[in-house]
Amino acid sequence: MTTTPTQTPPPTTVPEVLKKARRRGVGRSDRGAALGFLAPNLLGFACFTILPIGASLVLSFFEWPLIGEATFTGLENFITLFTADPVFWQVVGNTFYFVGVYVLLNLIVSLSLALWLTSKVRWKGFLRFVFFLPVVSPIVANAVVWRLLYNQDDGLIAWFFQTFTGTSGPNWLGSSEWAMPAVIIMSVWAGFGYNMIIFIAGIEGIPKTLYEAAEIDGAGWWRRLVSVTLPMLTPSIFFATVMTVISSLQVFAQPFILTGGGPGSSTTTLVFYLYQQGFQGYEMGYASSIAWSLFLLIMVITFIQFRSQKRWVHYS
């Protein structure tokens, strides 16, 4: 029985060794340059994001009245928050009320306008600019203007109701029944433009051949919307939904400017309650426990959204 000799690889030549060494040297220098350029951002991220997050987690286990000595209490802040705080669960309900209605209205308005602005409409570029303008306007300025509009005595909305119905309309900011809808309406106006741009980009990225094939098969506008546009747009809808839910769970400026959390606690949200406990009540440890509760809530909701995307999001 004969055996074939094992073939040994040809020896590496000196030029090849030098080339590899140069490549390794260039790679190291590139990594060093990249780290040098990233260092300022990484340093800022560490100092102003990572360290405060870690400090807030540590603070959540302390009772710290800001002016005074911090006392370690373990999980006492969380236990008090979930079992003994008479306002916390109402605040959670207010937050979910805002999130549920706001996210739904935001997606409906932004998707409807995106469908309209991708059709054969005149001045579509100008209209996109106009609808997107509230997104880049300062939210505080928007809220101040809307507070004037909601004024019960001489606001534009009250004038409109008086002119066409003979009544001054709802007491938007002074009624616990209408205060949260007022905050939601203002928030939808200020925020739908971002998702509208996302949907416009998604619609314009759908291959035209799909619409042509649907037209050949006799599909009308509604059938093309249901069978082509919406299925192909599900990645954009998923992205918009996740980002809108996360941002709406952190709503603060709108109720702060419009209603101050009132009447009573009817428009107090989790971030607003955190602000009240930390910067008005000077209970920084308790405020940190609220912050971490909100963080965990956002993580759980986002995890559920990502787990459920397989059932309705189509990436092909």
Side-chain angles (χ1 to χ4, degrees):
M1 182 176 64
T2 60
T3 59
T4 57
T6 304
Q7 294 181 353
T8 58
T12 305
T13 61
V14 174
E16 290 176 348
V17 172
L18 292 176
K19 288 179 182 179
K20 291 181 180 180
R22 287 196 206 100
R23 289 196 209 103
R24 285 196 295 269
V26 170
R28 292 196 188 104
S29 64
D30 286 346
R31 285 194 295 270
L35 289 175
F37 282 113
L38 289 174
N41 284 336
L42 292 176
L43 183 61
F45 180 74
C47 292
F48 298 107
T49 302
I50 299 299
L51 288 179
I53 289 175
S56 69
L57 178 60
V58 174
L59 276 179
S60 66
F61 300 108
F62 284 81
E63 180 183 354
W64 185 32
L66 191 60
I67 302 174
E69 186 178 353
T71 304
F72 180 77
T73 58
L75 296 175
E76 186 65 29
N77 286 328
F78 292 96
I79 294 173
T80 302
L81 184 67
F82 294 133
T83 62
D85 193 326
V87 181
F88 175 73
W89 290 110
Q90 180 187 356
V91 169
V92 172
N94 293 341
T95 304
F96 277 111
Y97 175 21
F98 176 87
V99 171
V101 180
Y102 168 76
V103 171
L104 181 62
L105 290 179
N106 186 303
L107 294 177
I108 291 174
V109 172
S110 57
L111 181 57
S112 300
L113 288 174
L115 292 171
W116 178 52
L117 292 176
T118 51
S119 63
K120 297 178 181 179
V121 60
R122 297 180 62 185
W123 307 101
K124 62 174 62 178
F126 174 73
L127 292 173
R128 292 178 185 180
F129 165 76
V130 170
F131 290 139
F132 187 74
L133 191 59
V135 177
V136 297
S137 301
I139 189 65
V140 174
N142 292 338
V144 170
V145 171
W146 274 86
R147 183 168 184 172
L148 297 175
L149 294 175
Y150 282 132
N151 190 290
Q152 186 69 13
D153 298 324
D154 54 1
L156 182 61
I157 297 177
W159 172 87
F160 179 86
F161 272 92
Q162 187 68 41
T163 302
F164 292 98
T165 66
T167 63
S168 60
N171 186 5
W172 292 100
L173 303 181
S175 168
S176 58
E177 181 181 359
W178 287 100
M180 185 61 81
V183 174
I184 292 172
I185 292 171
M186 179 262 156
S187 301
V188 171
W189 174 86
F192 75 86
Y194 180 83
N195 286 339
M196 181 194 70
I197 296 299
I198 297 296
F199 292 147
I200 287 175
I203 293 172
E204 291 181 343
I206 298 175
K208 302 301 181 184
T209 54
L210 297 178
Y211 291 108
E212 294 172 357
E215 288 181 4
I216 293 174
D217 291 339
W221 179 86
W222 177 255
R223 175 53 61 186
R224 294 197 301 271
L225 173 65
V226 174
S227 301
V228 178
T229 304
L230 292 182
M232 296 297 294
L233 200 59
T234 49
S236 299
I237 296 174
F238 172 72
F239 172 80
T241 303
V242 171
M243 298 304 295
T244 306
V245 169
I246 291 175
S247 64
S248 59
L249 283 168
Q250 302 174 71
V251 63
F252 170 75
Q254 297 92 310
F256 179 74
I257 300 296
L258 289 175
T259 63
S265 299
S266 59
T267 57
T268 302
T269 59
L270 277 169
V271 177
F272 196 124
Y273 192 52
L274 185 157
Y275 167 80
Q276 288 178 326
Q277 295 297 319
F279 297 97
Q280 292 181 343
Y282 303 111
E283 294 290 342
M284 302 305 294
Y286 198 67
S288 297
S289 66
I290 299 173
W292 275 91
S293 300
L294 176 60
F295 171 76
L296 293 176
L297 177 63
I298 292 174
M299 291 293 292
V300 169
I301 293 176
T302 305
F303 174 78
I304 294 173
Q305 288 177 303
F306 271 89
R307 290 288 294 179
S308 64
Q309 68 168 320
K310 297 179 181 179
R311 301 180 182 178
W312 63 279
V313 181
H314 309 284
Y315 289 102
S316 59

